Amino acid sequence: METRVALITGGMGGLGTAICKALSADGFTVVANCLPGDAGRADWLKARQAEGHAMHAAEADVTDYDACAAMVEQIEREIGPIAVLVNNAGIIRDKYFPKMEKAQWDAVLSTNLDSLFNVTHHISPRMVERGWGRIINISSVNGVKGQAGQTNYSAAKAGCLGFTKALAQELCAKGVTVNAIAPGYIGTDMVMSMRPDIVQGIIDSVPMKRLGKPEEIGALCAYLASELAGYMTGATLNINGGMHMG
Ligand code: CAA
């Protein structure tokens, strides 16, 4: 049997890398999306190769609908039909709301929420046509509970949950599942970019008293992508060290 192709947006970042590795370990042919001209692309591919994962890279800015169409077209032509899509690309631009600039709002909403439309719109009809697919959207604990300083990010990540449930309903009978993962604070560059005292305060507030590991999110993605996850759709899976229980 041919291996299934999995596309992970923002696949070369902290969470993205762990997701790529988990899916590759489970036998998927992994395509890691990155921004056009990403300077780290070649080194990232080499590092994965050295770990025994032969992966592909695909460039497209997920805020650009037409660029996403071209990327999907090229992957399907050159690598194979996309069976698993992980919408993982995301950024933060944290600011107390009165001080938040329009550009910070727009950047987060377009990268974290518009991207779901821009990428999924080109792939879900193909999955439906083939009668099988897994769409996994990376939300956040802060989309579930809200977070001061993150009106933009919380709004986008909550929007991601609505998108997940609505699309899951549309695709229920078509062999395509749509689920969301809501990670808590994971030890990636995104979290470590905050002031050290803020990071420490967050760790102290997590009942398990530690940050999550990227591999813990990768393993959950691998489950959702698997054949045996076929009865789960429209779900939000909380994975946050007990910080918030949905
Ligand atoms: N609750 C309520 N108010 C808060 C607050 C909080 N947790 N933190 C700060 N404030 C208030 C301050 O009291 C202050 O209010 P006044 O002006 O009325 O006194 C106001 O915010 C401004 O504070 P700053 O001058 O520090 O403003 P800032 O805009 O530069 O920074 C902040 C504020 C962005 C909230 C900053 O404290 C911060 O970075 N907090 C952490 C936010 C966070 O958790 N981000 C997660 C990033 S990682 C991620 O998102 C991954 C994931 O999915 C989990």
Side-chain angles (χ1 to χ4, degrees):
M1 191 180 110
E2 275 186 24
T3 63
R4 285 177 164 146
V5 174
L7 170 64
I8 294 88
T9 68
M12 298 186 185
L15 270 192
T17 300
I19 295 168
C20 287
K21 285 161 71 163
L23 293 181
S24 174
D26 271 8
F28 291 94
T29 298
V30 168
V31 185
N33 152 264
C34 62
L35 276 169
D38 186 325
R41 170 189 162 139
D43 285 347
W44 186 90
L45 285 170
K46 247 188 252 163
R48 301 293 80 74
Q49 186 78 47
E51 292 165 351
H53 301 282
M55 295 187 190
H56 302 264
E59 293 184 353
D61 183 336
V62 294
T63 68
D64 181 337
Y65 182 79
D66 293 336
C68 292
M71 172 180 69
V72 169
E73 203 49 67
Q74 188 179 3
I75 293 169
E76 295 240 337
R77 195 175 54 243
E78 296 178 4
I79 302 170
I82 298 167
V84 177
L85 166 63
V86 185
N87 283 309
N88 163 71
I91 57 169
I92 53 169
R93 296 288 183 271
D94 293 0
K95 212 73 190 163
Y96 187 53
F97 186 62
K99 294 194 206 163
M100 186 177 288
E101 290 167 17
K102 174 85 165 71
Q104 295 172 317
W105 174 270
D106 289 343
V108 169
L109 269 289
S110 63
T111 304
N112 298 13
L113 185 59
D114 291 348
S115 61
L116 298 184
F117 181 83
N118 295 341
V119 182
T120 312
H121 203 236
H122 304 298
I123 298 176
S124 62
R126 297 169 192 257
M127 289 176 167
V128 168
E129 205 172 292
R130 299 190 277 258
W132 200 92
R134 299 278 189 263
I135 298 170
I136 302 163
N137 299 319
I138 305 300
S139 177
S140 164
V141 65
N142 293 341
V144 177
K145 70 168 188 57
Q147 172 60 47
Q150 288 199 305
T151 48
N152 49 4
Y153 187 85
S154 298
K157 293 299 190 182
C160 169
L161 300 180
F163 173 87
T164 299
K165 291 174 202 172
L167 189 60
Q169 288 175 33
E170 291 191 18
L171 301 184
C172 257
K174 314 275 187 192
V176 180
T177 65
V178 190
N179 291 289
I181 296 177
Y185 286 77
I186 311 299
T188 62
D189 287 349
M190 179 186 273
V191 167
M192 301 318 284
S193 69
M194 292 188 293
R195 278 198 342 244
D197 58 309
I198 293 181
V199 176
Q200 192 52 55
I202 287 166
I203 294 171
D204 293 343
S205 74
V206 175
M208 289 191 191
K209 303 291 174 212
R210 68 169 175 90
L211 297 175
K213 298 177 192 159
E215 309 86 88
E216 291 169 331
I217 307 302
L220 193 47
C221 264
Y223 165 69
L224 286 175
S226 71
E227 200 64 50
L228 276 174
Y231 201 52
M232 179 177 284
T233 197
T236 299
L237 300 177
N238 295 301
I239 173 163
N240 59 39
M243 188 181 204
H244 184 81
M245 300 184 187

